Amino acid sequence: MSNAHDDLPHAPATARNRDPILAVLGCVLPPSGTILELASGTGEHAVYLAPDLPDLTWQPSDADSVAVDMINRRVAATGTANLLAPLLLDASAEAWPIRHADAMVCINMIHIAPWSATVGLMRGAGRLLARGGILYLYGPYRLDGRPTAPSNAAFDESLRRRNPDWGVRDLEAVTAEAELNGLVLAETVGMPANNLSVILEKTA
């Protein structure tokens, strides 16, 4: 039997990383409240994660209207009570169409967006999150100015060929931007394919 969204694009990495991500989120997200997911992309993480976190309200979003339509179709097909219709939200924008979140999740955005998106993400997290709120990031990073694996170095080169404003970011630069907005690095967790889970906490 086919699903209503079988015709929609799939991100191959999602099937590999969704369970490890869920394991970390289960430890760091609050027991209840609204989770804002930035750059939800295909929406596959949202429709997979939300049913396993039933006490949380999952709010997907994306800056691309085509992606928002795709996410909306996936959300509608699931019938998951705690999964909301997606928002059109550009992380780099000064104003967002949401005023509060109890935690935020951003998977695989920072390296495939201009640096202004990271700046906007941190600014938005500083504005939306209360003290103790968590911003969860997932993706590849450079540590101490160096890639964590040869595959990440090659990936960085391929990203920059596609768009010179993209690239694997220095974790230190990301956390420095976070600190400007009242968030500090609480923990990093090694993940599949040389990626990291980065947990930032609002402290001010």
Side-chain angles (χ1 to χ4, degrees):
M1 181 181 294
S2 63
N3 292 321
H5 50 72
D6 278 350
D7 61 323
L8 296 175
H10 292 269
T14 304
R16 297 194 298 269
N17 64 34
R18 62 191 184 183
D19 286 315
I21 288 173
L22 179 60
V24 177
L25 291 179
C27 295
V28 303
L29 292 182
S32 61
T34 297
I35 311 304
L36 172 63
E37 182 189 6
L38 282 297
S40 300
T42 63
E44 291 171 275
H45 280 115
V47 299
Y48 185 80
L49 297 171
D52 280 296
L53 301 165
D55 294 325
L56 295 168
T57 299
W58 198 273
Q59 175 63 75
S61 71
D62 203 273
D64 181 73
S65 59
V66 174
V68 167
D69 179 66
M70 186 191 318
I71 300 162
N72 201 42
R73 289 174 62 190
R74 278 202 162 97
V75 168
T78 67
T80 302
N82 65 322
L83 182 56
L84 303 180
L87 298 174
L88 183 63
L89 192 162
D90 182 348
S92 64
E94 289 287 342
W96 290 5
I98 183 171
R99 294 188 176 184
H100 170 78
D102 296 286
M104 293 167 54
V105 171
C106 187
I107 299 169
N108 284 333
M109 181 197 82
I110 287 179
H111 57 285
I112 52 172
W115 180 247
S116 59
T118 299
V119 173
L121 171 65
M122 299 307 169
R123 182 175 61 234
R127 185 173 63 246
L128 265 65
L129 296 176
R131 186 170 183 175
I134 293 296
L135 169 59
Y136 170 88
L137 308 175
Y138 175 91
Y141 290 91
R142 296 164 60 92
L143 300 178
D144 299 319
R146 296 186 297 273
T148 58
S151 60
N152 277 2
F155 183 45
D156 180 54
E157 291 177 5
S158 71
L159 288 172
R160 294 180 189 277
R161 284 195 298 269
R162 289 167 61 190
N163 188 323
D165 290 330
W166 295 1
V168 177
R169 308 299 183 186
D170 289 324
L171 181 58
E172 293 80 6
V174 173
T175 56
E177 194 65 40
E179 288 173 2
L180 294 176
N181 293 278
L183 295 102
V184 299
L185 179 63
E187 185 181 3
T188 60
V189 181
M191 301 295 279
N194 301 302
N195 290 304
L196 290 175
S197 283
V198 177
I199 296 96
L200 301 164
E201 182 178 353
K202 180 76 181 301
T203 60

